[in-house]
Amino acid sequence: MAKKKNKSQNVADSSGNTVPPSPSASTTSSTKAKDGKTTQPSTSALIICRNKHWRYISSFHGPWLQLPPEVLESLANNNYNLPRPRPIDPAVFFDLLKIRQLVDEATNLSVRAASGVTSSALTNSLNAGNGLLGNGGAALGLGLGGGGGNAKLSRERKHRMREQATQKLSKAYHLDEIACSVATMQSASTLEDVAQLVLQRNPLDADAKYVHFFHEKIPSRQLAECTSLQPLDEVIAERPSEGEILRTRAVTKIFKEDYLGAAQDLTAALQVCRYYQSQHKAGRQQLQLASEAAAEAQRNSRWKEEVKLDEEDHPSSLETQLLFHRAGVYLTIACQHVNEALPLKSSSNGANGVKTEHVNGNSDSKPDEVEMTPAEKEANRKRLEARKIVKTNAKRALRDYIAYLSHFDYTPGLPAEITKEFVRKVNQAANGFKIPRPQNQGRNLDLESNSSLSNGQLSDALVSQNGFHGSRNRKHPGTARAELPSLPPPVVYQISELFSATPPADLPPYPETATALTTKQQLQSTQSEAAKAILAQTDCHEALTYHPLLTDALHSLLLCHCLVQTSARELQRHAHMVARLARVCDGYPIFQAARSPSRADWIEVVRRGDNWIQLQQSWESLCAPAPLPGQAPPNPQKETPVEKKERLKQQAIMEALEDDRVHDEASFHAAVAARQRRQEEEARKADGKEMPKRWAQEDGKEYPISTERAAAIVRWVREAPLGGEAGGPRKKKRAGAKGKGKSKTGVEDSSSTLNVDDINDFEPVEEEVD
């Protein structure tokens, strides 16, 4: 019979997921820590599957877990057929579809093997509901019965069914281990033991080893102490060409704080991934060129049949996963060496023009080699080495985040002059004026091509000039509305281009100036109802391609710029760009809003750094969701004390939910209370009723708001001297360099010369990066 869960005693794990408690305290056994010593977990510790500890699980929650597979497949194909920027990254969307299908099939097989069902009754019951299982499948998964044949399955047949289920689960974990972990949590409990049962019959089964690594029961929040890398090492030795297994081992090494080993595994996995991608592209290049041309032609017309890719042609998300994880590893390594890179007594003026509260001189700005003792020389040498490690790894992280962002698209919408011209022509057409057909293209509006619409579609109000409607027969003739103009397609950029040294010049201003707001209000007041309706039905506004980890990557990029000492003015530009993207970053209706540890750390860094980049608004205000197309932003109203109290309460709750250290109800309440105390202190400080405290003393002892990473970055921003990695005197200008103008320092030199193509050069982790 299948294992029965006790739903009445479920609790939440570190990622906010509901997990079952240990069935018995006796199941908790002694484990070996990293140093080989045996540790005894608490007998009251929960015993849960290892995959419930995986990071960023909350990023992959959403309605995709409950949608019927056929609906999810239709949405994935529709998403792919939309023009750039597609609402959701097609690679991730296709992965979700395949993971749902594989997990559903594995659930079917494992439940049948556990329940002895031989007929198709189980399949029908599994498809009865809208969830992963439906009511009937959940009952069978919990061993509560279910109809279907009376024949008893043989042990051999059960084993073959479990082998097939394990193979399907292994394929799903290969695609995306985070999304698959979320999907298996929503499925029947029989999946948790299926790989272990296969290993009992065949201990050398590689797929079963890989799946059991995720499903093995360990004490809650003790993954590092209770996890051995031996199963993954064995699978990698048997399958060295699978970068997905290297990815899993790298993530496990991150939990074990072996960051150099994790970086090496991720680099090797990227090399394998790119090698097989090049082989696949070389073998199918001609076919792809023909199919992509046909697909593009079909996407430009509403009436043609949508493209449905074969599974082997689905885009892969592995590269973006590896880039994101490796960037996070490099950022962590950089933060770990901050305290070693700074002297015990800091300078009076920190980096980027941030003033510190300390008044001691910089002890290592220009050390006097004669007066320094050998011990002081050695300490200074170690600080310079650590400083070099911080800058080098921060540059590596920045490079990987830029490469990650290059996989996604952004459009600023239509330029203001085109929108204004469009509104003018619609108003003329609505008033009965005939619009002359343009003789040339250039910057003029395209009045003839249906495919010129930004979303590749026509509303009922916009039809072709000859009245052709494709496969749909409309009662009204197309010539009746032939005078209404259409919109040209908006320009599309890779998101990485927005963070280059010279960003695109045609982006709308953000935050908007008073002049820009006045112009927009004047434009809106001149729009007719027809113009408003057409603008609302076309994608002429800002939009981007959503990825579940995009918000965290954007804020991590800002943290990297802090460590490489980007100038305050340049960092402000990057911060405004991140806020611009965050306000339109939405995974609805497939994903829920996810917590972002990096966003919480960035807010803390700006706050403790006394807003040295001079943001004019709070980060929450800058990242507030943009109004929907055709919807004017609400007029600001004066906030009542009750509304302000409620807003601050909700703000504290949201910040607590983004804290990675919140893992249960007690830590959640402590995090909220700590943030509310801070809000009260800031309110008293603003009213002049209390003297401000030193930045290092603001957190309460009950629950520290600032994470170790945020505290390290704040200290670096305040205290690190400007200059090269070694912190010594600046390099002399080359003979051909101009003598006038401000010279770029540190990060400006490095960030402006960063190129996405540089990621192809995989140097060993120990090597230095220019």
Side-chain angles (χ1 to χ4, degrees):
M1 295 296 291
K3 183 178 177 182
K4 183 176 180 180
K5 291 183 179 178
N6 186 353
K7 294 186 179 180
S8 63
Q9 297 180 0
N10 286 355
V11 296
D13 71 341
S14 59
S15 300
N17 303 295
T18 302
V19 297
S22 170
S24 173
S26 61
T27 58
T28 306
S29 58
S30 62
T31 57
K32 289 188 177 181
K34 292 181 292 184
D35 55 2
K37 296 181 180 179
T38 302
T39 60
Q40 293 289 343
S42 171
T43 56
S44 61
L46 298 176
I47 307 299
I48 61 176
C49 292
R50 183 176 286 112
N51 64 355
K52 291 183 173 66
H53 295 82
W54 239 242
R55 295 189 68 192
Y56 301 107
I57 278 181
S58 68
S59 300
F60 284 82
H61 280 290
W64 72 273
L65 293 164
Q66 286 77 38
L67 290 174
E70 58 274 11
V71 175
L72 195 62
E73 181 178 9
S74 176
L75 292 175
N77 289 320
N78 289 339
N79 177 76
Y80 177 78
N81 283 282
L82 291 174
R84 297 169 54 204
R86 299 179 179 94
I88 296 176
D89 178 35
V92 169
F93 212 150
F94 282 125
D95 281 353
L96 298 183
L97 170 63
K98 289 180 284 190
I99 288 172
R100 273 291 308 275
Q101 293 172 339
L102 291 166
V103 171
D104 285 357
E105 293 168 1
T107 301
N108 191 333
L109 290 166
S110 63
V111 170
R112 288 176 58 194
S115 304
V117 178
T118 59
S119 69
S120 60
L122 175 63
T123 304
N124 295 333
S125 64
L126 290 179
N127 295 331
N130 289 335
L132 280 171
L133 286 173
N135 296 332
L140 286 169
L142 295 175
L144 301 181
N150 296 323
K152 185 177 181 180
L153 293 176
S154 65
R155 293 182 59 188
E156 186 62 29
R157 187 173 178 185
K158 289 182 179 180
H159 175 67
R160 289 199 304 269
M161 293 170 67
R162 291 184 176 116
E163 274 187 331
Q164 294 175 16
T166 302
Q167 291 167 5
K168 293 180 182 296
L169 288 175
S170 176
K171 186 177 180 181
Y173 277 113
H174 274 69
L175 291 170
D176 193 314
E177 57 195 18
I178 306 176
C180 185
S181 296
V182 176
T184 55
M185 291 175 193
Q186 307 291 327
S187 189
S189 61
T190 51
L191 286 184
E192 297 178 356
D193 301 321
V194 64
Q196 185 177 11
L197 294 174
V198 173
L199 289 175
Q200 291 177 0
R201 293 279 299 272
N202 183 9
L204 300 181
D205 190 306
D207 286 324
K209 287 181 182 179
Y210 186 53
V211 174
H212 183 59
F213 178 81
F214 289 101
H215 293 179
E216 184 180 11
K217 305 292 197 308
I218 61 173
S220 177
R221 303 188 65 79
Q222 297 185 31
L223 187 147
E225 300 86 348
C226 304
T227 299
S228 171
L229 294 175
Q230 182 179 354
L232 295 178
D233 294 340
E234 294 173 354
V235 177
I236 291 173
E238 183 176 346
R239 301 177 177 180
S241 62
E242 294 185 358
E244 297 87 351
I245 316 295
L246 289 167
R247 173 202 63 200
T248 302
R249 188 171 70 175
V251 173
T252 308
K253 288 182 178 180
I254 293 174
F255 280 106
K256 289 178 168 289
E257 299 182 0
D258 179 13
Y259 297 106
L260 289 178
Q264 291 172 344
D265 279 348
L266 292 168
T267 299
L270 272 167
Q271 291 173 333
V272 172
C273 172
R274 288 204 170 110
Y275 172 77
Y276 283 102
Q277 281 183 351
S278 63
Q279 295 296 314
H280 178 74
K281 289 180 180 179
R284 302 182 57 85
Q285 184 175 10
Q286 297 300 325
L287 181 60
Q288 279 185 344
L289 289 176
S291 62
E292 288 176 0
E296 188 64 26
Q298 290 186 3
R299 280 195 295 268
N300 287 335
S301 176
R302 178 180 183 180
W303 315 120
K304 295 184 179 180
E305 184 180 358
E306 291 186 349
V307 177
K308 186 175 181 180
L309 291 181
D310 295 332
E311 183 173 338
E312 60 181 0
D313 294 327
H314 286 175
S316 172
S317 67
L318 178 60
E319 184 176 358
T320 56
Q321 297 174 39
L322 298 175
L323 288 170
F324 178 84
H325 287 308
R326 193 173 71 166
V329 168
Y330 286 147
L331 178 58
T332 302
I333 294 175
C335 293
Q336 283 184 330
H337 289 81
V338 165
N339 290 330
E340 303 172 16
L342 299 175
L344 296 179
K345 295 182 178 180
S346 61
S347 62
S348 57
N349 288 315
N352 305 327
V354 181
K355 295 182 179 181
T356 66
E357 297 172 355
H358 306 283
V359 293
N360 299 292
N362 188 2
S363 60
D364 57 329
S365 58
K366 283 189 178 181
D368 191 340
E369 299 293 342
V370 178
E371 298 181 1
M372 293 178 65
T373 64
E376 292 173 338
K377 290 182 181 179
E378 179 65 17
N380 185 65
R381 184 189 65 81
K382 290 182 178 179
R383 282 196 298 271
L384 298 183
E385 287 183 355
R387 197 169 297 160
K388 189 174 183 179
I389 292 174
V390 172
K391 299 287 286 290
T392 298
N393 283 279
K395 289 180 183 178
R396 289 173 173 169
L398 189 58
R399 176 198 61 188
D400 280 353
Y401 281 125
I402 291 294
Y404 166 86
L405 295 176
S406 68
H407 288 78
F408 313 113
D409 298 325
Y410 163 83
T411 178
L414 294 176
E417 62 271 15
I418 292 183
T419 305
K420 186 176 181 180
E421 179 69 7
F422 171 79
V423 171
R424 184 184 67 81
K425 293 190 175 185
V426 171
N427 288 337
Q428 289 181 351
N431 294 326
F433 294 97
K434 186 176 181 180
I435 303 175
R437 184 174 299 177
Q439 300 299 324
N440 53 6
Q441 298 299 322
R443 296 287 291 177
N444 293 331
L445 290 177
D446 185 359
L447 302 180
E448 296 184 275
S449 175
N450 292 348
S451 62
S452 65
L453 279 182
S454 60
N455 62 355
Q457 300 180 359
L458 288 175
S459 67
D460 291 343
L462 294 178
V463 295
S464 58
Q465 298 288 347
N466 58 7
F468 177 69
H469 297 287
S471 60
R472 299 190 180 185
N473 295 321
R474 302 184 187 272
K475 297 181 180 179
H476 57 271
T479 56
R481 297 176 183 265
E483 300 300 331
L484 290 180
S486 60
L487 288 170
V491 64
V492 177
Y493 300 103
Q494 292 179 338
I495 293 182
S496 57
E497 296 181 57
L498 307 182
F499 298 96
S500 62
T502 55
D506 59 345
L507 300 182
Y510 189 78
E512 292 178 316
T513 61
T515 304
L517 287 174
T518 303
T519 303
K520 177 178 289 187
Q521 292 170 357
Q522 292 173 350
L523 180 62
Q524 290 173 349
S525 63
T526 62
Q527 292 179 9
S528 65
E529 293 300 325
K532 292 180 180 179
I534 296 175
L535 285 173
Q537 295 179 25
T538 55
D539 292 332
C540 59
H541 57 287
E542 286 185 281
L544 54 74
T545 301
Y546 180 83
H547 187 276
L549 304 175
L550 180 59
T551 300
D552 202 76
L554 289 171
H555 289 86
S556 297
L557 182 132
L558 296 179
L559 300 179
C560 292
H561 275 291
C562 293
L563 292 176
V564 294
Q565 296 181 309
T566 300
S567 67
R569 182 177 179 180
E570 187 74 2
L571 183 52
Q572 184 197 63
R573 178 176 72 85
H574 291 313
H576 285 160
M577 196 67 72
V578 168
R580 173 201 299 274
L581 298 174
R583 64 198 292 266
V584 296
C585 187
D586 188 5
Y588 180 84
I590 303 302
F591 295 100
Q592 294 177 352
R595 68 168 65 175
S596 172
S598 294
R599 181 180 184 273
D601 284 349
W602 166 250
I603 294 175
E604 187 71 7
V605 169
V606 173
R607 176 186 175 276
R608 289 195 162 191
D610 296 328
N611 190 17
W612 82 100
I613 60 175
Q614 298 180 358
L615 297 175
Q616 299 301 317
Q617 304 176 41
S618 69
W619 192 248
E620 291 79 6
S621 300
L622 287 172
C623 297
L628 296 175
Q631 181 183 45
N635 295 325
Q637 298 179 353
K638 189 175 181 180
E639 194 175 39
T640 65
V642 176
E643 292 174 340
K644 181 178 180 181
K645 182 178 180 180
E646 182 62 24
R647 176 179 59 82
L648 293 176
K649 178 182 177 181
Q650 293 299 322
Q651 179 180 329
I653 291 175
M654 296 306 299
E655 290 179 359
L657 289 174
E658 289 186 342
D659 195 331
D660 245 3
R661 299 165 297 174
V662 172
H663 59 274
D664 56 18
E665 187 174 359
S667 59
F668 171 73
H669 286 301
V672 173
R675 284 164 172 81
Q676 288 178 326
R677 285 194 297 271
R678 169 184 285 182
Q679 292 171 351
E680 294 173 357
E681 291 177 1
E682 291 179 343
R684 288 194 294 267
K685 176 181 176 182
D687 295 338
K689 297 179 181 179
E690 184 179 13
M691 293 297 292
K693 299 181 180 179
R694 299 175 72 90
W695 67 272
Q697 299 174 345
E698 290 177 352
D699 283 341
K701 296 181 180 179
E702 297 84 357
Y703 187 90
I705 296 178
S706 181
T707 63
E708 292 182 4
R709 181 173 71 172
I713 296 175
V714 168
R715 189 182 177 205
W716 178 266
V717 168
R718 287 174 169 269
E719 302 177 18
L722 288 172
E725 287 86 349
R730 303 179 189 272
K731 295 181 180 179
K732 295 182 179 179
K733 295 182 181 179
R734 289 177 292 188
K738 296 181 179 180
K740 296 182 180 180
K742 295 183 180 179
S743 61
K744 295 184 178 181
T745 61
V747 183
E748 292 181 324
D749 287 333
S750 60
S751 62
S752 62
T753 57
L754 283 176
N755 193 325
V756 175
D757 296 334
D758 294 342
I759 194 67
N760 294 320
D761 302 327
F762 287 100
E763 71 282 349
V765 179
E766 292 80 4
E767 289 187 15
E768 298 177 7
V769 177
D770 294 332

